[in-house]
Amino acid sequence: MATDYYAVLGVRRDASQDEIKKAFRRLARELHPDVNPDPKTQERFKEINAAYEVLSDPQKKQVYDLGGDPLSSSGGAGGAGGFGAGFGNFSDIMDAFFGQASQRGPRSRTRRGQDAMIRLEVTLDEAAFGTTKEIQVDTAVVCTTCSGEGAAPGTSAQTCDMCRGRGEVSQVTRSFLGQVMTSRPCPQCQGFGTVVPTPCPECAGDGRVRSRRTLTVKIPAGVDNGTRIQLAGEGEVGPGGGPAGDLYVEIHEIPHSTFQRRGDDLHCTVTIPMTAAALGTKVPLETLDGIEEIDIRPGTQSGQSIPLHQRGVTHLRGGGRGDLVVHVEVTTPAKLDPQQEDLLRQLAKLRGEERPMGEFKPGQQGLFSRLKDAFNGR
């Protein structure tokens, strides 16, 4: 045997394909004509290229190890332009300079499935305290007929006769670098290296089918609009029965008839008559924790707020709850009968607030006059 290709690349005879490739890349970076134009270096580059062409191809390597001439049918490793013919694979040359890893060999039919998302509506009470709900989702699941293999029962995938299981086909073209061998995915098996002669009739060879499932989702206390709950592995099963993606449940809170939510605090408005605001009263209010008496103190003004601590929504992270803020709105009667008007006049006199019109100082106004302005829309 004239040339020891293992010695040319500086590797052992039992070197792995990864070791052979690393050795070729290292030498290619040192000896490529674009880096070192010396004629002796060009000859050396031809040698390592020929060695890699043989040792990187399992079939040629086997012929070489048995003592045959693996390059006899291709005419050896000479070439035009001094760059050498039959580069093992042009992508390997590029990898040597740019460090890009080529994706060689057949690709797997099994891939991870896509993530999925479903919208779930909850009430304010459910969002505040948490709950458990059952949801139905339509996703891809493993085909039970072929168990994800994609082949009809009793059959199996076969090695592609075009690429012989490599998943790619090669062709030699001429360029300014000489003869360059390029690879592309096999058009017959689409790069899988195998073909399915008889696809599964249930899933048409995809290895998965659509199905409706019922899942139980735990809603933690304190969720809000837009909160997403991740259910790992509950999304779509991947092609070829691959691992499932994740399912995301997005929370949408139904508006409440009484309370408005602002973060973890709740707000509501109670409307009381003028007399109740003046004399004070207790107003029953239906809260998330049941009915509570709201203490309206005498002299309460319209727009005043009464906080009820720890009556809001549970904090999603950390303990405790928000507050319930009660806003008081005082109403003034739009119309008085003679007896009611007389009583108010007597009250105004007792409080010294009834004075003839025009005798008030700037910024001063009696109770009756304020009421009269309100009645007249001023």
Side-chain angles (χ1 to χ4, degrees), residues 17-18 20-30 32 35 45 49 52 56 87-105 168 177 180-183:
Q17 285 294 322
D18 187 56
I20 293 173
K21 180 178 288 188
K22 288 181 179 179
F24 169 73
R25 290 178 179 176
R26 176 179 54 80
L27 293 171
R29 283 194 293 267
E30 298 175 0
H32 194 278
V35 178
F45 182 73
N49 180 64
Y52 183 68
S56 64
F87 290 166
N89 190 308
F90 184 68
S91 63
D92 290 324
I93 297 292
M94 301 303 293
D95 292 347
F97 287 95
F98 300 104
Q100 299 173 345
S102 303
Q103 294 184 352
R104 305 291 297 274
E168 60 184 13
L177 294 175
V180 178
M181 181 179 293
T182 58
S183 298

Side-chain angles (χ1 to χ4, degrees), residues 224-283:
D224 201 352
N225 274 321
T227 300
R228 290 185 179 181
I229 302 171
Q230 181 182 9
L231 302 180
E234 296 294 351
E236 293 197 345
V237 167
D246 298 335
L247 175 65
Y248 292 88
V249 179
E250 186 175 82
I251 300 298
H252 286 261
E253 186 180 300
I254 302 173
H256 196 273
S257 58
T258 301
F259 303 112
Q260 296 82 44
R261 181 174 176 178
R262 301 175 190 171
D264 290 339
D265 292 335
L266 298 178
H267 294 257
C268 71
T269 300
V270 295
T271 303
I272 60 175
M274 175 190 66
T275 52
L279 300 175
T281 186
K282 290 184 180 297
V283 179

Side-chain angles (χ1 to χ4, degrees), residues 34-342:
D34 289 343
V35 178
N36 195 335
D38 183 73
K40 293 183 178 180
T41 303
Q42 294 184 26
E43 291 299 323
R44 172 71 173 140
F45 182 73
K46 292 179 184 180
E47 292 179 1
I48 67 166
N49 180 64
Y52 183 68
E53 180 183 353
V54 171
L55 299 183
S56 64
D57 187 313
Q59 295 179 347
K60 293 181 179 180
K61 182 175 181 294
Q62 183 179 17
V63 173
Y64 175 74
D65 290 339
L66 293 175
D69 184 1
L71 299 177
S72 60
S73 60
S74 60
F83 289 99
F87 290 166
N89 190 308
F90 184 68
S91 63
D92 290 324
I93 297 292
M94 301 303 293
D95 292 347
F97 287 95
F98 300 104
Q100 299 173 345
S102 303
Q103 294 184 352
R104 305 291 297 274
R107 60 191 181 100
S108 175
R109 290 183 179 273
T110 302
R111 299 194 301 277
R112 182 183 183 273
Q114 294 183 345
D115 295 337
M117 186 175 71
I118 187 172
R119 172 175 172 167
L120 179 62
E121 291 187 339
V122 298
T123 64
L124 176 59
D125 295 75
E126 293 171 337
F129 302 116
T131 186
T132 300
K133 281 183 169 290
E134 287 190 348
I135 60 174
Q136 290 187 334
V137 293
D138 292 319
T139 57
V141 298
V142 175
C143 176
T144 56
T145 302
C146 65
S147 300
E149 297 294 330
T155 67
S156 61
Q158 298 180 2
T159 302
C160 175
D161 57 7
M162 177 176 286
C163 66
R164 297 183 180 180
R166 297 179 59 186
E168 60 184 13
V169 292
S170 303
Q171 64 180 15
V172 177
T173 59
R174 289 187 174 276
S175 71
F176 70 95
L177 294 175
Q179 289 185 348
V180 178
M181 181 179 293
T182 58
S183 298
R184 59 187 177 87
C186 175
Q188 179 167 294
C189 67
Q190 309 302 318
F192 293 119
T194 59
V195 294
V196 181
T198 310
C200 173
E202 184 69 23
C203 64
D206 191 41
R208 55 183 183 167
V209 294
R210 305 294 299 186
S211 177
R212 173 167 294 185
R213 297 179 294 148
T214 300
L215 300 176
T216 300
V217 183
K218 183 178 180 181
I219 310 298
V223 295
D224 201 352
N225 274 321
T227 300
R228 290 185 179 181
I229 302 171
Q230 181 182 9
L231 302 180
E234 296 294 351
E236 293 197 345
V237 167
D246 298 335
L247 175 65
Y248 292 88
V249 179
E250 186 175 82
I251 300 298
H252 286 261
E253 186 180 300
I254 302 173
H256 196 273
S257 58
T258 301
F259 303 112
Q260 296 82 44
R261 181 174 176 178
R262 301 175 190 171
D264 290 339
D265 292 335
L266 298 178
H267 294 257
C268 71
T269 300
V270 295
T271 303
I272 60 175
M274 175 190 66
T275 52
L279 300 175
T281 186
K282 290 184 180 297
V283 179
L285 177 65
E286 181 73 33
T287 70
L288 298 182
D289 301 276
I291 297 179
E292 295 198 23
E293 295 281 343
I294 308 301
D295 185 18
I296 305 295
R297 296 183 178 182
T300 296
Q301 303 297 307
S302 186
Q304 188 171 335
S305 300
I306 303 174
L308 300 181
H309 300 293
Q310 297 291 314
R311 294 295 187 273
V313 177
T314 304
H315 298 312
L316 182 61
R317 296 177 178 83
R321 296 168 59 182
D323 298 332
L324 170 58
V325 182
V326 180
H327 302 273
V328 179
E329 182 181 85
V330 179
T331 61
T332 302
K335 186 177 181 180
L336 297 174
D337 60 31
Q339 184 179 3
Q340 293 171 338
E341 184 175 347
D342 183 60

